[in-house]
Each structure stands twice: as C-alpha cells, then as structure tokens.
Amino acid sequence: MKIPATETNKPPESRSATRSATRSATQVISKSGVAPKPASSLRLLNLNAGRDAILHYFENTWALTETLFSALTSEEAYYLRPYHKTRHPLIFYFAHPATLYINKLLVAGLIKEPINAHFEILFETGVDEMSWDDLHEGDQGIWPPLQEVIDYRATVYQLVRNLIQTHPIFDKPITMDSPGWALVMGFEHERIHLETSSVLMRELPAQHVRTPANWPQVMLRAEPQPNTKPQPGVHYPSQNPMIAVAQSSVRLGKPRDWPSFGWDNEYGADKRQTAAFKASQRLISNGEFYEFVASGGYLDDQFWNEQGRDWRRFRNIRWPTFWVQDGPVGSHRFKLRTTFSVEDMQWDWPVAVNYYEAKAYCAWRSARDGVQTPYRLLQETEHLAMREPALQQAADWTPAKPELLNLDRVMVDEAELAAGYEVNNNLHFGSESPVDRFAPNSLGFNDVFGNVWQWCEDTFHPLPGFRIHPHYVDFSTPCFDDRHQMMLGGSFISTGDEASMWSRFHFRPHFFQHAGFRIVQSEETQAQKKDRYETDALLNQYMLFHWGSEAEQRDAQISARVGHPPVKMFVQATVDLVNQFAKNTGRVLDLGCAVGRASFELARTFNEVIGLDYSQSFIDAANVLKAQGQLDYIRHDSGRFNTRLSARVDSAIDVDRIQFVRGDAGALHAPELQGSMRGFDAALLSNLMCRLPNPAACLRQFVEDDTLLNKDGVLVLVSPNSWMEQYTAPDRFIDGDTNEAALAKLGAILQGFELVHETDLPFMIREHRRKYEYIVSQVSVWRKK
C-alpha cells in the first residue's frame, strides 16, 4: 500500500504547514485548494521487506504524528498542562519521539554524535506518575520555543531518512540482535505516542483542538442523540449477552524470529490453562454505563476498592472523564468529548474509563443483577481464549512456515485481507465505533481487537524467558511492580505493533487511555456448585437468625402444641449489651458481623460502624441490604418445602454510618484494612471466638495495639464455647470446666482490661420447622483501663 504524497507525508523541508504553530491543516487546504486524503496507517513493518519498505514505514509513522499535531489550534496549546497535572504538556510529546530516535541510534552505534544534547536529555524521559496526586508543578519554564522544536524535528527527519537510504545495514533483514533494531524501535515508540498524545488532546479544552482535515472518518450517528435517559434498542444495543467459553489451554509469547518488531515483554513462552468462563459479547457501551452513573454508583463507596475510592474523592469524579456535563448536577445530562470535539453523546460507543471505574461498574452490576458469581474484568489468558482459535497456531511459527504470518493481520497488506474483514484499529476509523458495528468473530464476540483497549485483572508481568533488550533497558521492567494494570486488544488509533496480536500493554489504574472493558464471570465447576449450594444454605440460615422475626423463627403450629424454650432475640440482646456498657458512641467494630443485623442496629446509637467478616457471601448480603434496604432469602421448612422471606432495614437507620469489609478477625493490621481499624469505643465479638484458628491472638490485638480501642472502650465477648478441632487446635481452646475457669483464661489474655459484666445468653437457631439448636452463650464485657 503506498501513501500519496499529500501535505502530511512530504518531508518537513517541503511543508510550510509545519513551520507555523498556528497554521492548521484547514489552512493548508484553503491555500492549496486540494484537500489532503484521509490519514491512514501502513500495516506493521515486515523486517525482511527491505530498504524501501523501511523508508516508507518511517515516512508514514512521521506523517501520522504531523497530522495529529496539526489539530492544535495555537502555539499556546502546546504548552498547556493537562487538567490533572500528572503529565507533561504536548510540547514534550511533540519532541520526545524525535529525541528517542537519536538516543537509540547512538546506543546502537548507527550515529556517532548527538544533534542537540540539551534536547536529547530534556525530552528523553516522560512521566509515569506513582499516583493520581503525584502532581508535577513548576516545570513550565523549561520548555523551548515551538519553532526550535519544529527545526529540531526537521533535522531528525532528514538524518533518519538519509540513514535509511545510505547505511549498508539496511540491505539485510533486521533482527533483534542487529543495530537496525534501534531504528524500528523508534518507529514503534513514536506510534505509541501517537496514541498517548491523542488522549492528552482529548483532555485539553475543546477550543484548543480541531479535527485535522485529513483525519479518518469519525463514527458519529447522523441523527441527533439525546443527552439523557438513552433507550436500549434505540440508542444502544438492548442486549449484551454473556457468552460461554470452554476450558482451554493457551500459549503466550511471540516467537523471537517473527519478522516484525516487538517490545521485550512480548517475548518468552508460556502455556496456561484457562478455566471455563463467560464474557459479555460486546464492550460495555456508554448507554449501559449511564445506568451506573444515574443510579449514584460514583458516590456509593461499597462499589469502589480503597484505591479507587481515594482516587475518586481526590478528583471529585461523578461520571466518566470524557462525558461533558450538559445540565445541572444531578440532571444526568451529558455530551461526549471525542478526541477533537464535543458531540452529542454516542450511547452505542464503548465507554472510555480507567481501571477503577471499570471495577466499580463490575461490583455495581453484580449487585444489580443479583448474580451468585460476581462480574469482573478479563484475564490475559481469557482474552487469548476469546480470539479466533486459529491465532494460537502463530506460536508455532518458524521461517519454514511463512504462511502463519498471515495470522497477524496487521502485517498483511489490505489486498490480501479476506473480503469483509474489519477491525477498528490502525486508524481504520478516526474514533471509537458502535459496539455492534463490526461482525462478531467465530466465537460470537465483537471487538476482541480494536475500538478501545480492554482493561484486565492482571497486573503487568513478564513471560517465562523474558529478556531485557539492551537498546531499551527500562521499557518494561520498572512496570513489573504490581501497580500497572494490563490492557489488551488495542484501540482505533493503535497502529503498528500496538495493533498486533502480540501486543501486551499496561498503564497505571487511574490513567486514561482510549480504554474500556467487557464484563466476565468465572464458570462454576461441579465442586464450586456444591460449595455454593452449601454456602447458600448457610447464608439463608444466618439471614433467618439475624433478620427473621420471632414468629418467623418459630413454627406456629408446633409452638401451639409443645411450645419452645423461652429465649431472647439474640442479635438485639448483644446490641443492647454494647449500648449498655459503651461510655462513648463514636466508632464501634462488629467483628464477625455475618449478615450485618447487629451493625445496622448499632448505627442507631454509634456515629460510625465497621462490620467485618471473613465470608464474602455474608459481606455481599450486608452490602445489598445497605444499598437496597431489603434482601429476599429462603427459610427451609421441611424436605422440599420452603418459604420466601424478606429482610428489611428500618428506614430510620442511617446506613451511611456503616461500612462492611471482608477481612480476617485475626489480622486487623492487614494492608487492605489499614486506616479503618483504629479508634473504636466498643467492639462486639459475637459467636466468633470458637471459630477462629487462634482466638487468643485475635484478642491480643486489642492489648498490643493501643490504637484499636480507645481508653474506657469495651470488648463485648459472646461465645457458646463450642470448641472444635476442625476450627481450632485443642491447645488453643480458651475453655474451662466452669464459667470461672473460662473467664480466668480470658482475663490472662486481656491484660489491661477489667471484667465489668458476665452473664449467660440463651438462644435458638432454626434448621427447619421441626429441628432447632438450643445454645447458651457465655457473655463477658471487658473495659480497657
């Protein structure tokens, strides 16, 4: 494919348009009277293709950058900081790719001297901020005038072009062991920054950019779109079904002799088993994401992990960053910021969000749909399993099997593509496209590649056999830090290696790219289904014990005939004990909160309640009650007979006072709990102690950490002392043959506490209408001196 010699791919010395920061592509048209043809990307360079192909690929790469930067409407736009202040201004990214050519050619020995040593240090290293609040201030005065950068780029262009035309090394195929690898590294590095610079332009105020005259088609709907309340089936696809993918084995790693450039993290070899899973047919659209926004999902902490919650609060985010408010706060009226302009919201485009927002949507959607297996993001191996099965053959490539190169379609010329094959990458279009625009693959999935990158659960990691390339020693390794999330599949503006099937990219979770996601569910095995059945039965039993009325926990007919032992409503009795002995009502810890009834009742008197339990199903149920105010459950009556009941939270309870967290009662200093486990006026440990592997260690946390419980704070211990070896080793039982003996053992552990109350608390747990467990818990209340 040959690119015509338009204004955007002529050498810099022949282009007057690049000599002025304020002269846009639109002005070039008016001067020449001929509109440039749309910008397009060559496919990934075949390193065996020879000198002419290398030159053509370089000119195309350079032209794409020039085309993109023609979007800036003024010199001022080059120097504006992004709103988040965590990245350099665009003047850096205009110069940075050019300086990398020079620096890497020097490393490889293909040139002997720098062009401008000052520039080649100043523009050498970008920003990889550690966190969203790692702001970069005070560097505005260091950037040179734009004309100097334009002149520098023109010099680099001519040097690289002459090098390709004259150096004998380019008479031979390029391999990763040859100095020529440094040159093609420069090509692909520039193409990475084509994409990242386009995101920075999308973040600029709209008056500072315009669509380049020769930009590919932007996939806007012809008819006006509403700014609120999109209708499924009208404005975006009404269905996004989950498609099952069978268990499989996948292979990762680009063959080292594959004749295209690859970054070091693409190489190596791994074979992994992928469990069965289900994934949404399409990427999540703006229309689907709207419901999360409109329902208050951005303001509901239960859907956000700790880091995401902190980022959201720091940025005061209430909707995706590329949605533009088009009405008062709370009206949920939005337009869409595309790369270069503000348009009607395109509800059928994939939503562009960061990793934190994608994870929060998964949590919200899981609660909304009431699914047993929560939604999550893709794993890397699952993305491979969703691809066309034939692509796995590429791992078998050798020079003796050249036909396998056709599997990587970004290396194949347009004329060789199968009729009808379309993927929204390689600047096929100039924007995102509707999530159902392209035909699904043979497994039924749309947009496995292209449109937007897809966030993954995996943090960035090397493959077995990974080796650092000496030309770029710090490209990947600094990011193998568990702080960079993987993204796969590429976007509409991903070109070259970024658009290939081997591409493995990564960004920090708060970073914005042209990136979205699809939702995934793990497929249950038979053993997991058995575990879930048992978990559901236990959950229903606890829901009845916590939330059932006295009448619901008994059987009226049997009560009338033989009666039941007189017992108190257990949960309320434990709450009454906390309220009776706590001197202050600031914070309370419900340790082993189960499905949360005590936490809700404690919120009537305490300003803040933390409910902690090891069971994710219990915490999920408590969070549903907090979010929705009710939760249905099943009471087992007999045999195949059951009754559906509903737990309801009293509307007088301020649920915002409550936070439910999953954690280990014996590890209150775990990293995921840091910051929340301190300053309590009371702690309730109800029917917990005899189910812990080391109950004494759990109690010693309150002795050894003076910040857990405030002075005069109380520990309310309620335990049936049902010590069992399946939970606790016998030498760790805190038991005795009398009440006094058991209390003495507790007292020996709780140094610095005094016993202020001791009693017995009888209660019953119903298994079914004719079977009940009668239990008497020992109660002791200990006050911190």
Side-chain angles (χ1 to χ4, degrees):
M1 182 196 311
K2 184 170 177 60
I3 296 217
T6 67
E7 286 287 354
T8 58
N9 64 9
K10 289 180 181 178
E13 65 271 18
S14 68
R15 272 186 288 141
S16 60
T18 63
R19 310 301 291 182
S20 169
T22 60
R23 185 176 295 177
S24 69
T26 304
Q27 291 169 307
V28 173
I29 294 172
S30 63
K31 182 176 180 180
S32 68
V34 178
K37 293 187 177 181
S40 59
S41 172
L42 290 180
R43 295 190 171 266
L44 183 58
L45 177 65
N46 186 322
L47 300 182
N48 297 329
R51 190 187 300 273
D52 288 345
I54 296 170
L55 180 61
H56 195 191
Y57 193 76
F58 166 64
E59 291 177 334
N60 177 248
T61 302
W62 195 274
L64 291 173
T65 298
E66 293 284 316
T67 297
L68 179 67
F69 277 83
S70 74
L72 299 180
T73 60
S74 68
E75 184 167 339
E76 176 191 5
Y78 283 83
Y79 296 92
L80 289 174
R81 295 294 304 278
Y83 73 89
H84 44 72
K85 297 183 178 180
T86 58
R87 295 270 149 177
H88 293 316
L90 279 161
I91 187 68
F92 174 88
Y93 298 99
F94 191 43
H96 173 60
T99 62
L100 184 126
Y101 281 110
I102 301 306
N103 288 332
K104 298 307 177 187
L105 293 174
L106 280 167
V107 170
L110 290 175
I111 61 176
K112 301 302 182 184
E113 299 292 338
I115 291 177
N116 182 327
H118 172 63
F119 274 27
E120 284 139 21
I121 294 174
L122 176 63
F123 293 109
E124 181 178 20
T125 305
V127 177
D128 181 36
E129 72 278 7
M130 291 298 293
S131 67
W132 54 86
D133 56 356
D134 184 15
L135 307 183
H136 295 266
E137 304 282 6
D139 60 0
Q140 288 302 89
I142 69 174
W143 308 117
L146 177 59
Q147 189 60 52
E148 290 185 17
V149 175
I150 292 173
D151 292 341
Y152 176 80
R153 283 179 53 84
T155 303
V156 172
Y157 177 89
Q158 195 59 57
L159 181 149
V160 174
R161 198 169 188 276
N162 291 340
L163 185 74
I164 296 170
Q165 290 176 318
T166 62
H167 201 290
I169 197 170
F170 300 115
D171 290 326
K172 299 178 292 185
I174 297 173
T175 70
M176 69 170 60
D177 298 320
S178 71
W181 193 259
L183 178 67
V184 292
M185 178 180 287
F187 300 163
E188 298 307 327
H189 172 264
E190 183 170 4
R191 287 170 178 265
I192 289 175
H193 283 286
L194 178 76
E195 179 157 2
T196 55
S197 295
S198 74
V199 176
L200 288 170
M201 291 182 187
R202 194 172 186 176
E203 292 175 339
L204 283 179
Q207 67 268 26
H208 294 290
V209 293
R210 67 184 72 180
T211 305
N214 57 335
W215 196 249
Q217 179 188 358
V218 176
M219 297 289 287
L220 298 173
R221 280 204 178 198
E223 66 276 9
Q225 295 297 293
N227 63 1
T228 189
K229 298 180 181 177
Q231 299 301 308
V234 177
H235 302 114
Y236 65 95
S238 59
Q239 301 294 323
N240 192 0
M242 302 295 286
I243 297 177
V245 179
Q247 178 181 347
S248 63
S249 175
V250 297
R251 288 177 291 175
L252 298 87
K254 183 174 184 175
R256 291 192 177 275
D257 292 330
W258 189 277
S260 69
F261 176 83
W263 295 104
D264 53 7
N265 66 77
E266 297 172 21
Y267 296 100
D270 200 7
K271 185 175 183 179
R272 301 179 193 170
Q273 295 297 316
T274 301
F277 67 98
K278 293 185 288 186
S280 58
Q281 176 181 345
R282 305 182 185 95
L283 299 167
I284 297 300
S285 65
N286 285 314
E288 290 172 280
F289 203 82
Y290 175 83
E291 187 180 351
F292 171 61
V293 174
S295 68
Y298 270 78
L299 302 178
D300 196 331
D301 286 352
Q302 67 173 311
F303 302 128
W304 298 79
N305 62 28
E306 182 179 359
Q307 295 81 10
R309 187 166 58 247
D310 289 345
W311 165 80
R312 189 201 73 215
R313 290 172 177 171
F314 182 81
R315 289 291 175 201
N316 193 26
I317 294 292
R318 299 186 182 184
W319 49 75
T321 195
F322 297 127
W323 290 18
V324 179
Q325 185 179 348
D326 194 37
V329 173
S331 67
H332 304 303
R333 297 175 182 271
F334 302 102
K335 288 185 175 293
L336 181 66
R337 174 59 189 270
T338 67
T339 306
F340 305 114
S341 60
V342 177
E343 305 288 350
D344 284 351
M345 177 60 75
Q346 303 297 300
W347 297 110
D348 56 358
W349 283 15
V351 67
V353 292
N354 69 18
Y355 172 81
Y356 293 139
E357 294 167 297
K359 288 292 289 181
Y361 177 89
C362 289
W364 168 84
R365 180 75 176 267
S366 298
R368 190 204 72 173
D369 293 355
V371 293
Q372 295 287 347
T373 304
Y375 299 119
R376 55 174 175 81
L377 304 178
L378 277 170
Q379 297 172 0
E380 181 179 19
T381 54
E382 291 168 342
H383 191 265
L384 270 71
M386 289 169 52
R387 302 175 184 182
E388 290 290 352
L391 294 184
Q392 281 289 298
Q393 300 175 39
D396 296 327
W397 180 85
T398 67
K401 297 180 179 179
E403 70 280 0
L404 293 183
L405 290 179
N406 293 338
L407 293 171
D408 193 350
R409 292 185 180 272
V410 296
M411 289 189 64
V412 182
D413 191 83
E414 293 281 3
E416 299 175 51
L417 295 178
Y421 175 82
E422 286 185 306
V423 171
N424 190 8
N425 64 10
N426 236 38
L427 279 174
H428 189 96
F429 293 107
S431 69
E432 297 97 318
S433 52
V435 294
D436 59 351
R437 165 64 175 78
F438 298 104
N441 69 4
S442 64
L443 298 181
F445 293 104
N446 299 83
D447 293 326
V448 176
F449 292 100
N451 211 350
V452 292
W453 291 93
Q454 298 174 51
W455 286 108
C456 295
E457 294 284 352
D458 311 62
T459 55
F460 190 48
H461 58 278
L463 298 176
F466 166 82
R467 296 201 299 255
I468 296 171
H469 196 281
H471 292 344
Y472 205 152
V473 296
D474 57 353
F475 180 79
S476 296
T477 50
C479 302
F480 295 148
D481 58 0
D482 289 331
R483 296 179 180 180
H484 290 74
Q485 294 298 140
M486 291 194 68
M487 302 189 310
L488 295 172
S491 76
F492 67 92
I493 199 172
S494 298
T495 68
D497 177 69
E498 276 196 306
S500 82
M501 65 182 179
W502 307 110
S503 177
R504 303 175 76 237
F505 268 80
H506 56 280
F507 280 106
R508 294 196 182 274
H510 60 278
F511 189 84
F512 287 103
Q513 193 70 357
H514 303 298
F517 66 103
R518 66 178 80 232
I519 58 175
V520 179
Q521 282 180 300
S522 300
E523 192 70 88
E524 292 180 312
T525 64
Q526 288 301 317
Q528 289 170 329
K529 289 179 180 178
K530 179 177 182 293
D531 289 344
R532 178 170 60 81
Y533 174 80
E534 294 173 352
T535 298
D536 288 350
L538 184 64
L539 176 63
N540 283 320
Q541 190 176 50
Y542 267 81
M543 287 294 297
L544 178 63
F545 179 55
H546 274 235
W547 293 92
S549 67
E550 184 172 3
E552 289 169 338
Q553 294 189 40
R554 307 287 185 267
D555 183 87
Q557 187 177 41
I558 291 176
S559 293
R561 296 175 66 177
V562 299
H564 288 292
V567 294
K568 294 182 178 181
M569 294 298 288
F570 178 83
V571 173
Q572 189 58 53
T574 62
V575 170
D576 291 343
L577 284 164
V578 176
N579 289 332
Q580 178 183 349
F581 289 98
K583 289 186 176 182
N584 299 296
T585 56
R587 303 186 81 220
V588 61
L589 174 63
D590 184 5
L591 197 56
C593 65
V595 292
R597 179 64 183 272
S599 297
F600 284 98
E601 296 301 323
L602 287 166
R604 296 181 189 272
T605 50
F606 283 81
N607 296 327
E608 186 176 357
V609 183
I610 303 293
L612 182 146
D613 202 277
Y614 191 74
S615 167
Q616 186 64 57
S617 64
F618 286 175
I619 292 297
D620 289 344
N623 275 323
V624 170
L625 284 160
K626 178 184 173 183
Q628 301 179 8
Q630 69 173 46
L631 178 63
D632 290 347
Y633 63 96
I634 301 298
R635 183 189 68 187
H636 181 50
D637 293 328
S638 179
R640 65 179 186 274
F641 296 101
N642 301 292
T643 300
R644 180 174 291 276
L645 300 174
S646 184
R648 297 181 182 274
V649 178
D650 187 342
S651 60
I653 295 174
D654 183 357
V655 298
D656 290 336
R657 297 181 175 186
I658 309 167
Q659 180 183 359
F660 291 106
V661 295
R662 183 184 181 276
D664 184 348
L668 297 181
H669 297 98
E672 61 269 23
L673 299 178
Q674 284 183 2
S676 60
M677 295 293 117
R678 63 183 60 184
F680 293 107
D681 296 303
L684 171 62
L685 287 73
S686 178
N687 289 356
L688 172 70
M689 299 298 295
C690 55
R691 292 298 179 264
L692 296 177
N694 193 341
C698 174
L699 293 177
R700 278 196 296 271
Q701 296 175 108
F702 294 93
V703 176
E704 296 169 355
D705 183 353
D706 195 49
T707 67
L708 274 176
L709 205 63
N710 295 330
K711 188 178 184 301
D712 290 328
V714 293
L715 286 177
V716 178
L717 308 182
V718 184
S719 179
N721 294 341
S722 301
W723 301 101
M724 302 172 68
E725 291 187 32
Q726 69 188 86
Y727 301 109
T728 313
D731 60 350
R732 291 179 171 175
F733 290 178
I734 307 177
D735 61 349
D737 56 354
T738 64
N739 287 354
E740 293 73 19
L743 289 172
K745 288 189 174 183
L746 287 173
I749 297 167
L750 293 170
Q751 297 294 315
F753 286 75
E754 62 175 330
L755 179 65
V756 296
H757 181 71
E758 187 268 334
T759 189
D760 295 314
L761 178 59
F763 64 97
M764 286 198 311
I765 296 178
R766 169 179 170 146
E767 184 174 327
H768 56 75
R769 67 188 292 265
R770 289 188 174 274
K771 184 177 180 181
Y772 299 80
E773 187 175 5
Y774 178 76
I775 306 166
V776 181
S777 276
Q778 182 176 31
V779 175
S780 59
V781 181
W782 303 80
R783 188 178 306 281
K784 185 177 179 180
K785 297 178 183 178

